[in-house]
Amino acid sequence: MNSGKLPRSFDCIVVGAGLAGIYMLYRLRGLGFSARVLEAAGGIGGTWYWNRYPGARCDVDNMFYSYSFDEALDQEWDWSERYPSQPEILRYINHVADRHDLWPDIQLETRVAVAVYDEAEARWLVKTEEGEQFSARFLIMATGCLSAANLPEIPGLGDFKGRLFHTGEWPHEEIDFTGRRVGVVGTGSSGVQVIQEAAKAAGHLTVFQRTASYVVEAFNRTLTDEDRTYFKANHHELREAAKKTFGGFTTIANDQSALAVTEEHCREKLEEAWQAGGITLLTSFNDFVSNEEANQRAQEFVRDKIRATVRDPETREKLLPRHVIGCKRLCLGTNYYGTFNRDNVTLVQLGEKGVEKITADGLIANNSEFKLDDLVLATGFDAMTGALGKIDIEGRDGQTLREAWAAGPRTYLGLMSHGFPNLFTITGPGSPSVLSNMLPTIEHHVDWIAGCLSDIRKRGAAIIEAEMEAQDKWVAHGNEVASRTLRYTCSSWYLGANIPGKPRVFMPYIGGMPAYRKTCEAVVAKGYEGFDLK
Ligand code: FAD
Ligand code: N01
């Protein structure tokens, strides 16, 4: 690691300047810790910096997809839409950094390549791709759950002569699809959003679908002054109520089995939830993701929506999803299915071979060549572990994180991993993270870590590490809770199934935010039970 120059020394290094890294920095500063945020991108914002594709927006009601730590900000910031677009969210994040003067401690265009724990000094030595070195007592990974783009290994990818895009690494300049032959591979949340927009401009849009998605209507709208005034007046109560829900959203929560009511009543409730808009459709009964028969009711409800929308019988049939609803993440759309009624849109159902080959002029699928000017890969991410896996992380006794997680990630509470003292992961695998509204979840983790660092300092301790036994129990508990759901029944990125060779382990914790928060609080109340403090 030593290039002859002494590493720059801090109490904490934070890797990543998305919503998590930014708030972590704010908290560390407030506690008087010296900190530096290292960010690979040319700007802050993480997800909202990278995903600039047309149509990119959040799918949680804006007022809940915002920081809660700054009361005055809640009062001053005016969101424009129910689900704000990427540029607006990025503006918001930059505004937060300006407002709290965070910039001096953020270093952009700096990709962390190596992190090695020096046991004798109880410090992390961090090396960047550019060869710069840092030393810190604590290393906090805010590297994101959905930040490592998945570029599938399709033969000929490098041969394409047109414009090639991945939704998660979208260029900064405006991309105009007007009149062009555009192909989109992938129909997950990103694909859905980009398809709806690209169809409006493209000369012809060809959508290459491997698995049909369940897409719920967003009913996005411009917010009125009345909406904003209501939120501002009641933001405390509204946020507190959201915290008590399973995923930290405002939902139509109903603690009743879908099978305890008639099919007709169930449909009425689903219709109510559909009309309310948003991805919380599945909370209208309590067993949609745990009971197959209940789930089928919700599946059929959405399939009927598709049947009622899509005119061409062949296209309609291809768009009908057949897997368990909620197994893959529900997508949110605006007239997504209706987009396939346009004359300039064709849907290609990929066979088992998927996209066979990319050529100079397009791609080959189902033994046919499709000529394209632009190819958009909406093929998702190496989720939850991808960004961490790209860094050479070496903990105690020379063990690497890759070795420790070879059979799937192992953490205690998604916060720390045994063998890696003083290394924290914000929304790490084993925490509710991607199964929740991520902003309150990020704030919860950051607050927990900040509180922990402050307690360590008060006790005069220098090292905290997850105990193996506590970690094993937590991993077993996470697997047990997940096994009670229908989440294992499809090839989702939650399971790592979208990445060839990745171990199939359900990575986020599915016990819900309220239970998870309680556990984290109890651990602290019991003197950091399950952690070894030295
Ligand atoms: P990120 O925003 O992913 O930031 C991580 C940062 O770490 C990135 O900037 C990355 O460049 C940096 N980084 C990674 N590795 C390194 C390294 N080695 N060195 C230096 N820097 C590194 N969640 C919701 O709850 N609601 C939504 O509506 C929603 N919409 C989404 C829409 C899209 C298109 C996507 C992709 C995700 C969405 N999410 C949503 C999830 C979203 O990722 C989180 O809500 C949140 O933005 C994550 O913030 P973060 O700071 O944890 O991670
Ligand atoms: O990625 P995905 P995403 N050949 O993995 C297909 C968040 N998000 O970027 O299902 C052909 O969901 C793949 O097919 P299959 C949200 O959490 C939120 O869309 O594996 N196709 C699938 O259709 C989301 O869940 C928003 O059979 C290939 C698609 O590509 C997460 O980010 C917006 C393929 C990938 O879908 C990831 O979403 C965007 C191949 N080789 C993202 N490889 C909001 O609206 C993959 N596919 C808030």
Side-chain angles (χ1 to χ4, degrees), residues 299 347 504:
Q299 288 179 37
L347 178 66
R504 302 241 171 156

Side-chain angles (χ1 to χ4, degrees), residues 48 51 53 56-60 146 150 152-154 166-168 185-193 208-213 328-332 350 354-355 378-381 434 491 493-494 497-498:
W48 305 104
N51 293 265
Y53 57 85
R57 56 179 68 250
C58 74
D59 64 3
V60 172
L146 296 159
N150 169 34
E153 286 173 18
I154 304 172
H166 188 286
T167 48
V185 179
T187 53
S189 301
S190 305
V192 164
Q193 290 184 330
F208 298 92
Q209 168 184 281
R210 194 163 68 180
T211 308
S213 291
K328 290 174 187 254
R329 192 180 186 280
L330 217 51
C331 303
L332 203 63
L350 295 172
V355 175
T379 45
F381 301 89
V434 290
S491 310
W493 57 258
Y494 295 127
N498 62 332

Side-chain angles (χ1 to χ4, degrees), residues 13 41 84 168 189 196 208 238 332 372 481 494 496:
I13 288 287
S189 301
Q196 294 162 174
F208 298 92
L238 291 168
L332 203 63
L372 302 169
V481 184
Y494 295 127

Side-chain angles (χ1 to χ4, degrees), residues 350-367:
L350 295 172
E352 253 178 35
K353 285 198 247 163
V355 175
E356 287 148 48
K357 197 177 163 197
I358 294 184
T359 64
D361 302 319
L363 62 77
I364 297 177
N366 305 344
N367 299 322

Side-chain angles (χ1 to χ4, degrees), residues 345-402:
V345 178
T346 309
L347 178 66
V348 175
Q349 177 60 50
L350 295 172
E352 253 178 35
K353 285 198 247 163
V355 175
E356 287 148 48
K357 197 177 163 197
I358 294 184
T359 64
D361 302 319
L363 62 77
I364 297 177
N366 305 344
N367 299 322
S368 303
E369 183 166 14
F370 296 85
K371 301 259 189 213
L372 302 169
D373 301 312
D374 298 324
L375 177 55
V376 177
L377 298 174
T379 45
F381 301 89
D382 182 353
M384 314 269 331
T385 57
L388 289 169
K390 286 187 178 177
I391 306 172
D392 292 329
I393 300 174
E394 193 181 303
R396 223 167 12 79
D397 306 324
Q399 190 192 26
T400 67
L401 193 70
R402 277 188 214 112

Side-chain angles (χ1 to χ4, degrees), residues 223-281:
L223 294 177
T224 61
D225 284 343
E226 206 182 336
D227 293 323
R228 284 186 283 263
T229 307
Y230 175 75
F231 179 77
K232 288 177 186 187
N234 300 289
H235 72 135
H236 252 308
E237 296 76 0
L238 291 168
R239 286 191 190 280
E240 283 309 305
K243 266 189 198 164
K244 293 195 179 100
T245 65
F246 186 89
F249 303 98
T250 43
T251 54
I252 306 175
N254 177 10
D255 200 14
Q256 188 182 25
S257 163
L259 302 176
V261 298
T262 62
E263 218 164 320
E264 199 188 353
H265 181 68
C266 180
R267 276 194 165 247
E268 277 167 18
K269 284 278 164 205
L270 281 165
E271 184 61 34
E272 226 175 82
W274 178 276
Q275 293 304 332
I279 52 172
T280 59
L281 182 91

